[in-house]
């Protein structure tokens, strides 16, 4: 084999290997657990109705606060999502689904950052999918069984937020333990610490 050809092949292999992390996601290994019928029914109801995220505010101050949040987060997200309309649609949907599930948008943004790096089609080594790295078994347990829909933006964010809310309820509001359960590493500090550190980057000025 010619040295020049070996060198080119080595460069090609190195280039391909450098792309592998972009195809995979580090997190997203929720463990399938038995669900009581009442819990399954409640979760199934929570992921129905995929109405577009059109928030309505009774107070003008609330609307202005939302618009300030949208503008600030859009600026911060620009390096990850360069197209303005895509960025705004993502943030509108994330805010809607996080608020709907009773979660902080900053927490969900931190979770998405750690889970998928804001990559819509991310797939982890264990098969979790999309922005919030939802395991396919959830589509069977509480959805219509079509795991491919977990790549749809609003579907993925809704499943992820509903699942996170479920884990928070199971852990009696203990965020550290709930995050560990979301990742399949309950009781270990690495994942909760990573998400909480990422969350701080998505807080509005003055928030803690």
């Amino acid at each position: 084999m010619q040295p020049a050809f070996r060198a080119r092949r080595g460069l090609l292999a190195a280039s391909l290997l450098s792309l592998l992390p972009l195809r995979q996601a580090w997190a997203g290994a929720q463990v399938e657990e038995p669900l009581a019928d009442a819990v399954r029914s409640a979760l199934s109801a929570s992921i129905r109705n995929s109405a577009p995220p059109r928030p309505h505010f009774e107070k003008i101050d609330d609307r202005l606060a939302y618009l300030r949040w949208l503008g600030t987060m859009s600026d911060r997200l620009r390096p990850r999502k360069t197209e303005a309309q895509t960025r705004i649609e993502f943030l509108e949907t994330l805010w809607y689904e996080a608020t709907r599930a009773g979660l902080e948008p900053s927490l969900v943004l931190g979770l998405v950052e750690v889970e998928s790096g804001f990559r819509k089609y991310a797939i982890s080594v264990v098969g979790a999918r999309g922005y919030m790295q939802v395991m396919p078994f959830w589509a069977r347990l509480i959805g219509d069984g079509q795991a491919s829909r977990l790549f749809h933006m609003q579907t993925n964010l809704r499943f992820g937020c509903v699942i996170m809310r479920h884990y928070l309820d199971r852990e009696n509001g203990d965020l550290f333990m709930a995050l560990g359960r979301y990742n399949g590493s309950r009781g270990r500090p690495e994942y909760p610490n990573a998400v909480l550190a990422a969350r701080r980057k998505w807080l509005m000025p003055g928030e803690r």
Side-chain angles (χ1 to χ4, degrees):
M1 184 182 295
Q2 295 296 322
F5 178 76
R6 285 200 300 270
R8 286 196 298 273
R9 192 174 72 171
L11 287 172
L12 176 61
S15 298
L16 290 173
L17 284 173
S18 70
L19 291 175
L20 286 177
L22 298 178
R23 298 175 185 172
Q24 297 180 345
W26 170 66
Q30 302 105 4
V31 177
E32 183 172 359
E33 302 172 355
L35 295 176
D37 289 343
V39 173
R40 184 182 293 107
S41 296
L43 292 174
S44 296
S46 294
I47 57 97
R48 294 194 195 109
N49 180 20
S50 57
R54 297 280 188 268
H56 297 282
F57 301 97
E58 295 182 2
K59 298 180 180 178
I60 187 64
D61 288 348
D62 292 339
R63 176 167 179 76
L64 291 175
Y66 169 73
L67 293 175
R68 283 194 297 271
W69 177 87
L70 199 59
T72 302
M73 296 305 115
S74 179
D75 288 342
R76 294 180 189 177
L77 191 58
R78 185 178 289 115
R80 306 284 191 133
K81 290 186 176 295
T82 57
E83 205 281 312
Q85 186 61 34
T86 299
R87 194 165 63 243
I88 292 299
E89 288 176 357
F90 171 80
L91 287 168
E92 287 177 336
T93 305
L94 183 141
W95 184 93
Y96 178 84
E97 295 301 339
T99 304
R100 182 177 181 269
L103 302 174
E104 288 182 342
S106 57
L107 173 66
V108 178
L109 281 163
L111 198 153
V112 171
E113 180 178 340
V114 171
E115 286 285 347
S116 66
F118 295 96
R119 288 175 287 126
K120 180 177 182 179
Y121 296 106
I123 303 177
S124 77
V125 294
V126 293
R129 302 182 179 199
Y131 286 120
M132 295 189 73
Q133 290 293 275
V134 178
M135 290 292 285
F137 69 76
W138 284 108
R140 170 174 49 80
L141 284 179
I142 63 174
D144 60 7
Q146 298 189 44
S148 62
R149 294 188 180 180
L150 295 176
F151 288 122
H152 177 263
M153 176 179 64
Q154 186 173 7
T155 300
N156 188 274
L157 293 173
R158 175 161 295 186
F159 266 79
C161 289
V162 166
I163 292 164
M164 186 62 207
R165 179 75 259 168
H166 168 63
Y167 288 149
L168 263 174
D169 292 342
R170 285 203 62 182
E171 297 292 349
N172 297 313
D174 188 323
L175 181 57
F176 181 89
M177 297 303 285
L179 285 169
R181 191 182 285 276
Y182 190 95
N183 177 246
S185 59
R186 184 178 184 273
R188 293 174 52 186
E190 295 85 359
Y191 180 79
N193 288 345
V195 172
L196 293 174
R199 168 189 171 271
R200 287 193 287 272
K201 293 187 282 184
W202 299 101
L203 293 170
M204 288 290 285
E207 290 183 333
R208 299 184 63 180

